[in-house]
Amino acid sequence: MIEPVFTFLPCRTLEVTGKSRLQFPEGGPAWLVVFGAWCALFASLGIMNTMGAFEEYISTHQLKDYDVSSVGWIFSLYAFLTFGVGLFVGPLFDKYGARWLILSGSLLVVLTEYGCHWFWHFIFVFSVLGGVGSALVFSPSITVIGHYFSRRRGIATGIATIGGAVGGIIFPLILQLLIPRIGFVWATKIITLISMVLCAFSNIFIKGRITLGRTSSARRDLRILAHPTFALTVLGVFLLEFALFVPLTYINPYCISKGFAPSFYSLVLPVLNVGSLFGRLLPGYLADKYGRFNAAIVAIILTVISVLGVWLPFGETKAGIVIFALMFGLGSGSKISLTPVCIGQLCNVENYGRCYSTCFSIVSLGCLSGVPIAGKILDVSGGGNFNGLVIFVGCCHAGGLLAFGLTGGKKKWNVYISYGVVL
């Protein structure tokens, strides 16, 4: 049995050696694969980006007798499984390709039922089944783009991940418009129908192009964490994702505590996802031109400013919360689109799925605990004071910024030299 050989080289060396072995289409029919990934991420990450709307409803209806931190476990477990199961999905993708992973994940995503009534029901159906289904769809949809694009991987990945942002705009609006008319259960059934159509398109167009072969191993291999640059990158992503879902989950309760009308706060999450839409596309284009790690660092700086410079001092005003939502969406949206290309820049394309999934399986531990910890901070502060929660989010992003900056520390913080533009 052939064990994978991981190669971590500076960007220029890696790409030059890669070109001699493998040609990337960089366009043409490869854009159909991007479209398939867009559909898959619309159905999977779209639900993840709607967690705030789900949390706001079920915490005041089905689970109104539970405290905030307990309800938060439903959504943190969902995020944990979406990323954590990737530890197993990535090696399988490298060995066998995307076909059966996408198909089985699509079935679970479509079969997930949102009309639950009890806490354990939400945990099993929404968190476990939905989280595993999203994992089977999410990881292959991201990493398969690396099979078709190298020089334009940033913009291609950015376009695909826009699907999740569009889902985060459409799904909350569906809930807002249809729950008063047809109820929560039927509103979520319409979301399921949309997801079914999108998953069908993803199964048609997503096709893996490179595999390690049936003689290779599909086992997990954590030896890749021994490389300092990869380990620092994983640490940075961990800290960013540790706090990412806190605003997505608690932005509606925050607005309610400040006395904003439902007609206003129900639009804040879609506004955040509008910012995220541009945050996934624009940094991807800039990353291909000026360097992937450079673009990531600039996006993290914008996120820190949005939290500590806008949300904390001005979040009690409508203008402040709208500006925060747009800035946070613009900065945080890049995490989904730039993390894969940063990881892909540190390994051979044949091991792309394994390396990317290993990163996010570790990150998933932060997703599991981040929302409940934030909920506990909120409970301790009396439920109405969100300052501790906001500072927690800002500090996590500042730590992620430091970790990403240290990846270029040997070059005096000049990440462009360390991980420069792919020519």
Side-chain angles (χ1 to χ4, degrees):
M1 182 173 291
I2 301 174
E3 292 293 337
V5 177
F6 297 102
T7 304
F8 291 93
L9 298 170
C11 178
R12 286 193 175 92
T13 304
L14 177 59
E15 293 299 330
V16 169
T17 57
K19 286 180 180 178
S20 64
R21 296 183 294 104
L22 179 66
Q23 294 297 318
F24 295 87
E26 301 289 355
W31 290 113
L32 292 176
V33 177
V34 174
F35 172 70
W38 185 93
C39 293
L41 295 173
F42 188 126
S44 56
L45 292 187
I47 294 298
M48 186 175 293
N49 290 330
T50 312
M51 291 195 302
F54 282 118
E55 193 277 340
E56 188 272 330
Y57 184 86
I58 68 174
S59 64
T60 56
H61 291 78
Q62 295 99 318
L63 303 180
K64 61 183 178 181
D65 296 327
Y66 288 81
D67 58 40
V68 174
S69 60
S70 296
V71 176
W73 278 107
I74 296 172
F75 304 101
S76 62
L77 181 59
Y78 176 89
F80 166 74
L81 291 175
T82 296
F83 295 140
V85 174
L87 185 63
F88 305 92
V89 174
L92 290 173
F93 169 79
D94 288 335
K95 181 177 175 65
Y96 299 110
R99 173 71 66 189
W100 296 107
L101 295 171
I102 295 288
L103 178 60
S104 56
S106 298
L107 291 175
L108 288 177
V109 168
V110 171
L111 292 175
T112 299
E113 175 62 56
Y114 304 100
C116 308
H117 299 283
W118 303 283
F119 181 81
W120 69 266
H121 199 184
F122 277 105
I123 289 290
F124 178 73
V125 178
F126 180 82
S127 303
V128 177
L129 295 184
V132 172
S134 292
L136 292 169
V137 171
F138 168 70
S139 292
S141 299
I142 291 287
T143 51
V144 74
I145 295 172
H147 288 189
Y148 293 86
F149 295 88
S150 178
R151 180 175 53 84
R152 306 172 73 181
R153 186 178 296 170
I155 186 64
T157 305
I159 291 172
T161 56
I162 283 177
V166 174
I169 297 170
I170 300 298
F171 290 159
L173 292 177
I174 289 175
L175 295 176
Q176 178 195 356
L177 294 174
L178 296 185
I179 287 177
R181 292 173 172 82
I182 60 178
F184 179 77
V185 173
W186 281 102
T188 54
K189 288 183 183 296
I190 290 177
I191 290 177
T192 300
L193 178 62
I194 295 173
S195 298
M196 181 174 65
V197 175
L198 292 168
C199 287
F201 280 121
S202 69
N203 279 273
I204 293 172
F205 292 113
I206 293 180
K207 297 179 181 179
R209 179 168 170 258
I210 307 160
T211 62
L212 290 173
R214 295 185 179 276
T215 59
S216 64
S217 171
R219 290 183 299 176
R220 305 167 305 284
D221 195 332
L222 298 179
R223 291 175 299 172
I224 53 180
L225 293 172
H227 191 278
T229 302
F230 186 82
L232 276 172
T233 303
V234 172
L235 174 62
V237 178
F238 175 89
L239 291 171
L240 297 176
E241 298 289 343
F242 189 51
L244 172 63
F245 296 104
V246 175
L248 295 178
T249 304
Y250 291 114
I251 192 66
N252 280 0
Y254 175 87
C255 291
I256 293 172
S257 72
K258 301 304 178 184
F260 295 132
S263 59
F264 172 77
Y265 71 71
S266 62
L267 297 176
V268 173
L269 194 59
V271 167
L272 190 152
N273 281 294
V274 168
S276 179
L277 188 152
F278 292 100
R280 299 174 191 219
L281 182 61
L282 182 60
Y285 170 77
L286 296 176
D288 289 336
K289 191 172 183 180
Y290 299 108
R292 280 79 184 263
F293 279 79
N294 287 347
I297 289 173
V298 171
I300 299 169
I301 290 173
L302 180 62
T303 307
V304 173
I305 293 173
S306 71
V307 175
L308 298 180
V310 179
W311 191 13
L312 184 61
F314 305 113
E316 295 184 358
T317 66
K318 287 186 176 181
I321 201 68
V322 169
I323 293 173
F324 159 73
L326 285 172
M327 289 182 62
F328 185 83
L330 183 61
S332 64
S334 66
K335 298 186 187 76
I336 296 296
S337 61
L338 291 184
T339 299
V341 295
C342 288
I343 295 296
Q345 203 158 287
L346 301 177
C347 65
N348 292 326
V349 67
E350 293 89 343
N351 296 309
Y352 187 20
R354 188 185 303 256
C355 293
Y356 177 70
S357 297
T358 298
C359 170
F360 267 91
S361 65
I362 296 171
V363 167
S364 67
L365 298 174
C367 297
L368 178 65
S369 56
V371 173
I373 288 175
K376 184 57 67 174
I377 293 173
L378 194 57
D379 288 335
V380 170
S381 63
N385 186 350
F386 282 76
N387 286 345
L389 182 146
V390 176
I391 293 172
F392 167 73
V393 173
C395 289
C396 288
H397 282 87
L401 174 62
L402 178 62
F404 264 78
L406 289 175
T407 58
K410 293 183 180 180
K411 296 295 183 180
K412 298 181 180 180
W413 294 79
N414 192 340
V415 186
Y416 181 84
I417 295 176
S418 295
Y419 310 103
V421 180
V422 179
L423 302 175

